[in-house]
Amino acid sequence: MRAVTWTGINQLSVEDVPEPQLLNDHDVILKVTRTTTCGSDLHLLSGYIPFMRAGDVIGHEFMGEVVEVGKGVRDRRVGDRVVVASFVSCGACWYCHHELYSLCDNSNPNPGITEGLWGQAIGGCLGYSHAVGGYAGSHAEYMRVPFADVGSFVVPDGVPDDRALFASDAASTAFTGVDLAGVQPGDTVAVWGAGAVGQMAARLSSIVGAERVFVVDRFPERLAQARTHAGAETIDYTTTDVAAELREHTGGRGPDVCIEAVGMEAHSPGPQGAYDAVKQQLRLQTDRPSAVREAIMACRKGGSVFTLGVFAAMVDKFPLGAVMNKGLTLRGAQVHGPRYIPRLLELMDRGELVTEHLATHVLPLEEAPRGYELFKEKADGCVRAVFTPHG
Amino acid sequence: MANSLLSRAADAGGALLGRLQSVRLPGVGTASAKDDPATAARRWRAVTVLADPGRLTELPAPLAALGDRVETRVIPAPGDKGTELAARYRGPATDEDIGRLRQALREAKQLVEVGEVLRMDPRPHGERAQTPGGRLLDGAVAASRREGVL
């Protein structure tokens, strides 16, 4: 079959690879119908997550049709149209029982790597490096989905593919942040990053009752989408002082909840951005945390800051004093997909959550390298490149 | 010569992952003292299994396979967390022995909780360039089931 492989830093290829097989009783094989780029893939591409092997198939946000079912699978059938959670969860460990699915004890076959990095291993993630399992990814014609009863969800007939696709990771990641950050009715929420996850975090904040939502970015077309599709007020951080804007709009308090949806390659104008870039290139810090710093400083006293963007390891000049002295709650998580995907599909079915506008570039799989180039450079208004492996 | 270099790179990858568990850089990791190797080898290594202690009356096969060299302890975990399954060697143990114990404990937990051990190969992949960096990663990945803080 054809698949998109990582072949080196900033190098992708589309090549022939063997088809996946059922390996465990709880597996299904999926015919992939839609699979999309994710901002976190760019960290793999850029070489900031050094556990990629040449030839690895990438991609973790996808949907498709079940074509083969393992003998231990109870709820999936051949022919089901499903969307799949990006993280793999066994459904049987203490973490899965407590809906902390991305922390699954049994789904990362390479626990030694992340135990060394973080003190504990997290769950496995499809198509996202050997640090989280080394699973083959979804940018392929076919895909093995382990523990399919836990991580795959039948899409209601009324939800089109280009909407359901984003329940897989972008919208479920956003819901993880909105829920665990504790967004309440009446809150003011600020979201850093107007990519798909940031836009979904803004929209879902409104759905759970936030009174005002601000989205911070620098790309006009993304900010326009946040206004149009998420109903957010927007701030271009390259033209104004974000914290001052937020104070001005919140009676001097600052937002109740600040959600960071940028991650380890944050851009920042001025000397702070240059400082972070140099230190990251010299590997004196692994991540550029400028959006997190700003969120912490902007948040109201006693408020909540949530890191949704992907970070790898160590950052420098972290305002821990502000976290402590302002009484902030600082929390982060990878996506707990199965906790939120069913509710997202309901919202999508009722038309309360639309995502089709995110798929700015729909391309055949063979054009994936060009799709990633557009996505990485934010060229031609690209928000997400979506690939259709079967046309 | 090239094959030898690649082989050494893979070995180095496994060794590097082992060392990562005990690295102490300024600002990284813990502030505490580090176990000497003999003390580390004698520590109980434990997983918490979401099951009643009765499910572990008979040791799961991966742990039972280590035989009398290993002693085990099964006690209820606090709260709703299930059962703590711990094991350690009765006598001196090498790094390789400890790696086998880590893997056995992880597989035992998987067998009780989900009924099978996750399999990964064969998996689809494209051409694997045989570079020292790639083989270093291969070595680390191959060692990762037996390494970690467990």
Side-chain angles (χ1 to χ4, degrees):
Chain A
M1 67 173 182
R2 302 291 282 169
V4 180
T5 59
W6 183 94
T7 53
I9 292 175
N10 290 319
Q11 293 177 354
L12 292 175
S13 176
V14 184
E15 53 185 317
D16 289 319
V17 308
E19 290 192 359
Q21 302 173 22
L22 295 174
L23 297 178
N24 284 97
D25 290 351
H26 300 99
D27 294 350
V28 302
I29 301 295
L30 205 70
K31 177 182 177 182
V32 179
T33 53
R34 290 279 192 287
T35 178
T36 182
T37 59
C38 172
S40 60
D41 292 334
L42 300 180
H43 312 322
L44 304 178
L45 270 177
S46 304
Y48 291 121
I49 295 181
F51 295 100
M52 293 296 289
R53 183 73 167 92
D56 286 343
V57 181
I58 64 168
H60 60 267
E61 184 161 8
F62 65 104
M63 63 177 300
E65 178 190 336
V66 175
V67 294
E68 203 175 348
V69 176
K71 64 184 179 186
V73 174
R74 298 181 314 273
D75 299 331
R76 296 284 83 81
R77 302 283 180 272
V78 170
D80 282 352
R81 185 172 69 116
V82 296
V83 64
V84 180
S86 53
F87 266 74
V88 184
S89 311
C90 75
C93 68
W94 186 88
Y95 292 98
C96 288
H97 271 243
H98 288 76
E99 296 191 298
L100 301 168
Y101 291 98
S102 68
L103 306 180
C104 175
D105 271 342
N106 293 315
S107 62
N108 185 348
N110 302 331
I113 296 174
T114 46
E115 283 185 14
L117 282 171
W118 303 323
Q120 305 279 341
I122 63 167
C125 182
L126 299 167
Y128 204 77
S129 91
H130 293 268
V132 281
Y135 291 94
S138 60
H139 295 342
E141 292 181 271
Y142 295 91
M143 171 85 185
R144 172 197 177 208
V145 177
F147 301 116
D149 282 329
V150 183
S152 68
F153 298 86
V154 174
V155 178
D157 289 342
V159 180
D161 282 1
D162 283 339
R163 186 175 301 180
L165 168 64
F166 295 102
S168 167
D169 187 83
S172 45
T173 296
F175 216 162
T176 302
V178 169
D179 185 32
L180 300 186
V183 175
Q184 300 292 318
D187 274 353
T188 297
V189 177
V191 179
W192 275 256
V197 173
Q199 289 189 39
M200 291 295 103
R203 175 64 188 134
L204 288 161
S205 293
S206 294
I207 286 173
V208 303
E211 195 161 303
R212 296 185 78 176
V213 180
F214 295 88
V215 173
V216 180
D217 205 304
R218 74 183 195 276
F219 293 101
E221 63 277 11
R222 292 182 176 210
L223 292 171
Q225 284 193 341
R227 287 191 295 273
T228 302
H229 299 285
E233 300 168 68
T234 58
I235 299 171
D236 179 343
Y237 70 83
T238 63
T239 63
T240 190
D241 182 326
V242 172
E245 287 272 344
L246 290 170
R247 282 195 300 272
E248 191 174 348
H249 287 296
T250 58
R253 300 183 305 278
D256 301 293
V257 176
C258 294
I259 296 175
E260 185 273 349
V262 179
M264 62 194 290
E265 294 182 68
H267 293 89
S268 152
Q272 179 184 236
Y275 171 87
D276 279 329
V278 168
K279 288 206 77 166
Q280 190 180 39
Q281 287 303 313
L282 293 174
R283 300 301 189 261
L284 295 172
Q285 66 176 356
T286 56
D287 308 70
R288 300 198 300 258
S290 53
V292 184
R293 290 190 192 112
E294 190 164 72
I296 288 169
M297 299 307 289
C299 193
R300 76 155 165 82
K301 293 180 286 185
S304 173
V305 176
F306 202 94
T307 57
L308 269 184
V310 170
F311 290 90
M314 300 293 171
V315 299
D316 195 8
K317 303 292 182 288
F318 187 77
L320 188 57
V323 174
M324 184 269 160
N325 287 289
K326 287 168 64 177
L328 300 180
T329 299
L330 175 63
R331 196 168 180 181
Q334 291 278 8
V335 56
H336 301 313
R339 179 168 173 168
Y340 300 106
I341 291 174
R343 277 191 274 171
L344 288 166
L345 290 173
E346 289 172 16
L347 290 168
M348 289 173 166
D349 200 24
R350 292 200 298 266
E352 292 178 45
L353 186 70
V354 295
T355 63
E356 289 90 328
H357 63 282
L358 301 172
T360 51
H361 295 72
V362 179
L363 303 167
L365 195 67
E366 296 295 325
E367 292 189 42
R370 184 172 78 86
Y372 268 97
E373 190 63 26
L374 290 167
F375 179 58
K376 181 174 183 175
E377 300 303 326
K378 280 87 173 169
D380 193 31
C382 186
V383 176
R384 284 294 182 94
V386 174
F387 310 125
T388 54
H390 296 272
Chain B
M1 178 63 109
N3 282 343
S4 165
L5 177 65
L6 292 172
S7 174
R8 284 206 303 273
D11 291 346
L16 190 64
L17 190 62
R19 296 293 169 264
L20 183 64
Q21 318 307 329
S22 57
V23 72
R24 293 288 185 273
L25 297 174
V28 178
T30 67
S32 62
K34 186 175 177 304
D35 282 346
D36 62 80
T39 303
R42 281 290 295 154
R43 278 199 186 278
W44 288 99
R45 297 170 193 279
V47 291
T48 301
V49 184
L50 190 59
D52 292 332
R55 296 271 308 279
L56 291 158
T57 308
E58 190 173 328
L59 284 181
L63 211 46
L66 297 179
D68 290 341
R69 284 194 67 202
V70 165
E71 58 182 323
T72 57
R73 186 176 72 187
V74 176
I75 57 173
D80 64 352
K81 293 186 175 64
T83 301
E84 294 175 7
L85 171 61
R88 67 178 176 182
Y89 284 95
R90 295 179 193 277
T94 63
D95 285 350
E96 197 174 326
D97 291 331
I98 293 168
R100 267 200 296 273
L101 180 57
R102 288 193 190 102
Q103 183 168 359
L105 281 164
R106 288 168 177 147
E107 291 184 356
K109 173 179 161 71
Q110 281 189 43
L111 283 171
V112 174
E113 289 185 336
V114 300
E116 57 184 339
V117 174
L118 198 57
R119 293 181 58 207
M120 294 301 291
D121 292 308
R123 81 191 90 176
H125 64 76
E127 188 178 338
R128 298 272 198 225
Q130 297 304 312
T131 61
R135 294 301 299 272
L136 192 76
L137 180 59
D138 287 344
V141 169
S144 62
R145 286 173 186 248
R146 302 185 303 276
E147 289 295 347
V149 298
L150 176 60

